[in-house]
Amino acid sequence: MAIEQTYLMVKPDGVQRGLCGEIVSRFERKGLKIVAMKFTAIKKETAENHYGEHKGKGFYNSLISYITSAPVLAMVLEGDNAISVCRNLMGKTNPQEAALGTIRGDLGMMTGMNLIHGSDSPESAAREISLFFRPEELMIYKRTADDWIYE
Ligand code: DAT
Ligand code: MG
């Protein structure tokens, strides 16, 4: 097994549309463990740090104003290969191309309103987790259901 932690975030459109429960439940039902969760408004500097890789691209300014436009639900999830498992649950960046059964494929219509963020590598996961959470906010606990999820 390769237990990983990853950073997930229900974006402002997901919060505004009342889809936090729907989205979190998909990760929970899959078997991901919630390690941290925070309902928060992202400051502009934090948004620019988080999306630094996209600086200079045509959609960068609208991306920053969108992600700072309303609260987000930030979380850290843990599980075996959690980074790729969560990316698969999210679906492709463009919701119109995302497979049905994924969060974006089932619930979204536009790339700029694609509901959910998820880390794409161990390096970005570590960077993003530390950007949004202090170490003591990550809960260390035994989840008894894991005995019925992992063999
Ligand atoms: P992902 O969120 O799937 O990791 P990404 O890291 O390439 O995708 O881009 C980050 C976000 O930026 C993405 O969720 C939506 C926005 N975005 C990406 N490409 C875009 C485009 N061509 N037009 C508008 N928004 C875009
Ligand atoms: Mg990305």
Side-chain angles (χ1 to χ4, degrees):
M1 288 225 290
I3 298 295
E4 295 174 337
Q5 291 188 342
T6 183
Y7 176 72
L8 276 296
M9 170 165 71
V10 180
K11 294 178 176 180
D13 49 331
V15 171
Q16 292 290 339
R17 290 174 57 195
L19 293 172
C20 287
E22 161 79 33
I23 291 170
V24 172
S25 79
R26 290 179 178 225
F27 294 109
E28 277 193 300
R29 286 186 335 222
K30 177 68 174 169
L32 278 306
K33 176 183 178 184
I34 299 170
V35 167
M37 192 174 279
K38 185 189 291 184
F39 191 61
T40 186
I42 303 185
K43 294 194 182 80
K44 189 157 183 277
E45 309 84 83
T46 307
E48 289 172 343
N49 192 339
H50 176 68
Y51 280 130
E53 65 176 301
H54 298 299
K55 196 170 169 65
K57 295 182 184 168
F59 58 86
Y60 178 75
N61 288 341
S62 60
L63 178 61
I64 297 300
S65 66
Y66 154 69
I67 208 70
T68 56
S69 64
V72 300
L73 182 65
M75 64 197 123
V76 178
L77 301 181
E78 185 180 282
D80 190 35
N81 295 313
I83 296 168
S84 65
V85 167
C86 289
R87 292 287 300 189
N88 288 336
L89 287 167
M90 289 162 50
K92 281 190 183 174
T93 306
N94 180 347
Q96 294 186 16
E97 295 173 358
L100 296 179
T102 66
I103 293 165
R104 288 165 168 172
D106 286 351
L107 305 173
M109 288 295 283
M110 301 295 291
T111 300
M113 296 267 180
N114 64 5
L115 295 154
I116 180 81
H117 169 84
S119 307
D120 62 6
S121 69
E123 295 72 29
S124 58
R127 192 176 70 78
E128 292 166 2
I129 290 169
S130 67
L131 189 57
F132 289 94
F133 291 95
R134 297 189 303 274
E136 63 269 26
E137 292 178 311
L138 307 183
M139 297 297 115
I140 299 167
Y141 65 102
K142 174 166 171 60
R143 190 179 60 162
T144 53
D146 281 344
D147 293 341
W148 299 96
I149 293 169
Y150 295 114
E151 55 183 355

